[in-house]
Amino acid sequence: MSVRILVFAGSLRTGAYSGLTADAAQAALAAEGAEVTRISLADYVLPIMDQDLEAEEGLPRAAIALARQFAGHDGFLIASPEYNGSMPPLLKNAIDWVSRVEGHDPKIKPFDDKVAALCSSSPGKLGGMRGLVHLRAVLNACNVEVIARQCSISRASQAFDADGTLREEADRKAIRLVARRLVDYAAAIAGRREP
């Protein structure tokens, strides 16, 4: 069964390691037979989550569009940087807004029956894995099944060749294993939805 996987990075910085990690994950998922959609959060500009703003103006169009992207896929893979030992505010804000959409339009279910995989990258020795602890908790709170296997690219400033290829086989293998596990889980969940 072919599955649809959404892939995006948690950073907008030009040349961000999370973007390069998302590139590697996208290629690994495609190699596993997934239909991959790659998006950038730059295309979903959102204000800081504010329920007063929501009450006055309704949901931002970008939040609804992003929620539709989540809803239209079987699973997603997030490649995140680590900011001060946690997830970046851009990513948290996007998830918070998406979580509000179903309350306005019950037909859009961005997190129902969804499985996620997490990758991180950082110039440090831990590869950003501390931030994934918090990201995993947030997604769990949204009732997303997050697979146990994850990938953290340490010393990211030296981890990629000029063309964006991961230099170390251990890193390439780690991303392949995450991709394979995500595709397997997403297929199983999609199979449970079949009539």
Side-chain angles (χ1 to χ4, degrees), residues 55-182:
E56 292 168 9
E57 301 181 13
L59 287 172
R61 290 183 181 180
I64 297 169
L66 186 56
R68 289 186 188 279
Q69 285 281 18
F70 278 80
H73 290 79
D74 300 300
F76 50 93
L77 184 144
I78 302 174
S80 180
E82 177 183 300
Y83 285 17
N84 297 316
S86 188
M87 59 192 292
L90 170 76
L91 182 53
K92 178 64 163 62
N93 192 56
I95 293 169
D96 287 344
W97 273 118
V98 167
S99 74
R100 305 291 298 172
V101 172
E102 187 176 353
H104 290 260
D105 187 345
K107 296 188 298 295
I108 304 174
K109 300 183 182 300
F111 297 131
D112 275 14
D113 294 325
K114 295 296 184 288
V115 61
L118 308 180
C119 294
S120 63
S121 48
S122 167
K125 294 178 183 179
L126 298 179
M129 68 173 59
R130 293 177 302 176
L132 295 187
V133 174
H134 297 164
L135 177 53
R136 182 179 296 273
V138 169
L139 292 172
N140 285 157
C142 294
N143 295 316
V144 175
E145 293 189 41
V146 184
I147 65 172
R149 185 173 290 278
Q150 60 187 36
C151 175
S152 295
I153 307 298
S154 61
R155 297 182 175 85
S157 57
Q158 291 90 41
F160 298 91
D161 285 330
D163 65 356
T165 302
L166 282 164
R167 291 177 174 162
E168 298 295 329
E169 172 58 24
D171 290 332
R172 294 193 296 270
K173 181 179 179 181
I175 284 189
R176 285 197 304 267
L177 289 173
V178 169
R180 186 171 307 143
R181 190 66 55 85
L182 177 58

